[in-house]
Amino acid sequence: MYDENGAVLADFMVIFPGLKKKPNRLIHEITEEIHRVLTSFGDTVVFAELNVAINLLWVSIRPVDGVRFEISEALRSRIPSARIVSHL
């Protein structure tokens, strides 16, 4: 994936085991928490998609050294079940 200026973006995925089986209220709260964490990284996060059906968050970021781990750790600190599963 590329940003608006044609620069290559980095991607990673985070899995939230059992998310789809949680009550809708809790899914909404977790979604809001994910949004808060991702927006705290400003324009470093370019795209994010949460697919509740497969318990997976896809995140595209500007290639900043170490930021994917900062983001995944920030998610884990707020949502302990979050697990980084892949990065490209």
Side-chain angles (χ1 to χ4, degrees):
M1 187 178 281
Y2 299 91
D3 73 7
E4 65 280 1
N5 299 315
V8 175
L9 298 173
D11 300 288
F12 68 97
M13 295 177 281
V14 179
I15 193 166
F16 295 89
L19 180 62
K20 69 181 176 183
K21 295 179 181 177
K22 297 193 182 301
N24 286 338
R25 175 194 54 77
L26 192 52
I27 292 172
H28 178 74
E29 290 173 11
I30 290 170
T31 301
E32 290 294 315
E33 197 60 44
I34 291 168
H35 183 262
R36 280 190 283 278
V37 168
L38 296 179
T39 57
S40 74
F41 285 88
D43 70 347
T44 300
V45 175
V46 176
F47 172 80
E49 179 182 8
L50 178 63
N51 185 326
V52 175
I54 60 172
N55 306 315
L56 188 74
L57 174 66
W58 181 281
V59 183
S60 296
I61 56 173
R62 298 187 195 283
V64 176
D65 286 339
V67 77
R68 75 180 54 143
F69 300 109
E70 289 178 37
I71 294 169
S72 62
E73 285 305 309
L75 287 166
R76 282 190 58 164
S77 75
R78 303 300 251 316
I79 309 161
S81 64
R83 300 288 182 263
I84 189 168
V85 293
S86 177
H87 64 78
L88 304 170

